[in-house]
Amino acid sequence: MSPFLITRTLPEEATDAALRADVLRGFTRTPKTLPPKWFYDKHGSELFEKITELPEYYPARAERELLIARSADIAAATGARTLIELGSGSSEKTRHLLDAMPDLDTYVPVDVSESALTQAGHALVGQRPGLNVHALIADFTAGLAQPGTPGPRLVAFLGGTIGNLLPSERATLLSSIRSLLSPNDSLLLGTDLVKDERVLLAAYDDAAGVTAAFNKNVLSVVNRALGADFDLDAFDHVARWDAANEWIEMRLRSRTVQTVKIPALDLAVDFAVGEEIRTEVSAKFREQGVRCELALSGLGLTRWWTAGRLYGLALARPTAPSAGLGSYASRWPSANGGSS
């Protein structure tokens, strides 16, 4: 059986500290916010898997279809001997890439969930003799590092997760990825595309209410971890399209005047009727916007594949040192650079 290694670069106490910091910062500002990474406890992950199977939720199906159709092209274009996947989760969608890369030496899944990495890693080494799996327990948004692996390398960031980051955060992450890449390495980026508002809203507010339950579950995470007393029934799920920024926002709207106590932070949080917590931004992209964001981070778009107008896969290679945040902030004021 091939080697399976797992390395922790995220201290065990870091997750608790990060949640405390995010809740304190997010609930003492206006408007109130919580980062979407806190959706994914065990129950939240199960709910998200249900979301991907809903008829309204097109991104997972569209990306899977693209990977099935284009993995051989990706393998040929990159010649990758190492595949590094950011936010790998179960590694399920990545198997199409792995199947198309018979000469792949090493797979490096990166995720904050040790259980997900362990389960996926053991499954892969049993199914793919000769493939080395070196899993990293890490928060890639807090900085990137990689084990010594043979090149060329392909870094995959799939699922449209890049859209959960604000423009300045995307610039930071893309520049960090660029800093890891040698001239012959590549980045494969999954991007949800701008489309009809009705299609977008249905995907984030399904008729069965699964996304609503997923959104409210973040309050259960805070209750359990910090001893808070959020009443999930006192909040409504809200999804809205922000046309100016070309992103979907998910929010939780207070149904009443209420005060929520968070004992672990010695904090009492007041809510007015109709006051909202923004729990997720999900930016949608256009080809030109993706090309520009990559270019500002020193990456050149080499291939662009789409599933109709639903979803896009971008393949990029290093072109020059990253332009940096200063240039990004001055030249990229909006999410996608306007219409194209």
Side-chain angles (χ1 to χ4, degrees), residues 18-276:
L19 176 61
R20 287 170 175 262
D22 285 342
V23 170
L24 183 62
R25 180 170 53 248
F27 285 164
T28 55
R29 63 183 296 180
T30 303
K32 294 178 174 66
T33 63
L34 275 177
K37 64 183 178 182
W38 301 117
F39 285 136
Y40 297 98
D41 65 345
K42 184 176 184 296
H43 184 53
S45 296
E46 291 169 351
L47 286 171
F48 185 72
E49 287 302 314
K50 291 181 180 179
I51 288 171
T52 64
E53 298 169 358
L54 293 170
E56 300 97 327
Y57 195 77
Y58 61 85
R61 289 191 300 275
E63 184 178 67
R64 182 170 60 250
E65 290 168 6
L66 272 176
L67 288 172
I68 291 171
R70 297 299 183 181
S71 284
D73 296 332
I74 294 165
T78 62
R81 297 194 64 219
T82 295
L83 173 61
I84 302 168
E85 184 182 7
L86 307 181
S88 57
S90 66
S91 298
E92 190 62 38
K93 57 182 172 289
T94 322
R95 292 167 197 259
H96 303 298
L97 276 175
L98 296 173
D99 288 342
M101 296 178 168
D103 297 327
L104 193 70
D105 179 90
T106 304
Y107 172 51
V108 183
V110 183
D111 205 278
V112 295
S113 172
E114 182 173 2
S115 60
L117 289 171
T118 300
Q119 183 175 352
H122 283 304
L124 284 170
V125 297
Q127 296 164 2
R128 288 169 169 77
L131 179 66
N132 300 302
V133 180
H134 189 160
L136 294 181
I137 305 169
D139 180 357
F140 58 80
T141 64
L144 289 170
Q146 64 174 331
T149 55
R153 300 171 185 85
L154 172 62
V155 176
F157 190 28
L158 301 172
T161 309
I162 188 73
N164 294 147
L165 305 177
L166 296 173
S168 62
E169 296 169 334
R170 296 201 297 265
T172 298
L173 179 62
L174 290 173
S175 293
S176 181
I177 292 172
R178 166 63 186 90
S179 71
L180 294 179
L181 301 181
S182 299
N184 291 328
D185 295 342
S186 304
L187 166 66
L188 180 67
L189 184 65
T191 55
D192 197 359
L193 303 182
V194 176
K195 58 186 67 66
D196 186 279
E197 178 180 346
R198 291 168 296 181
V199 176
L200 288 165
L201 289 175
Y204 289 84
D205 194 11
D206 60 275
V210 182
T211 309
F214 174 71
N215 194 10
K216 289 185 180 186
N217 184 64
V218 75
L219 301 181
S220 296
V221 172
V222 178
N223 283 350
R224 184 175 60 254
L226 302 180
D229 60 357
F230 278 102
D231 177 2
L232 275 61
D233 292 333
F235 289 85
D236 290 324
H237 165 68
V238 177
R240 65 164 61 106
W241 171 242
D242 183 331
N245 287 303
E246 295 191 325
W247 65 44
I248 287 282
E249 288 192 3
M250 289 209 315
R251 294 174 176 249
L252 292 169
R253 178 182 294 156
S254 177
R255 304 182 68 179
T256 64
V257 175
Q258 56 181 308
T259 298
V260 175
K261 296 181 176 62
I262 309 179
L265 300 177
D266 193 24
L267 183 67
V269 185
D270 295 324
F271 288 90
V273 175
E275 187 173 0
E276 295 176 343

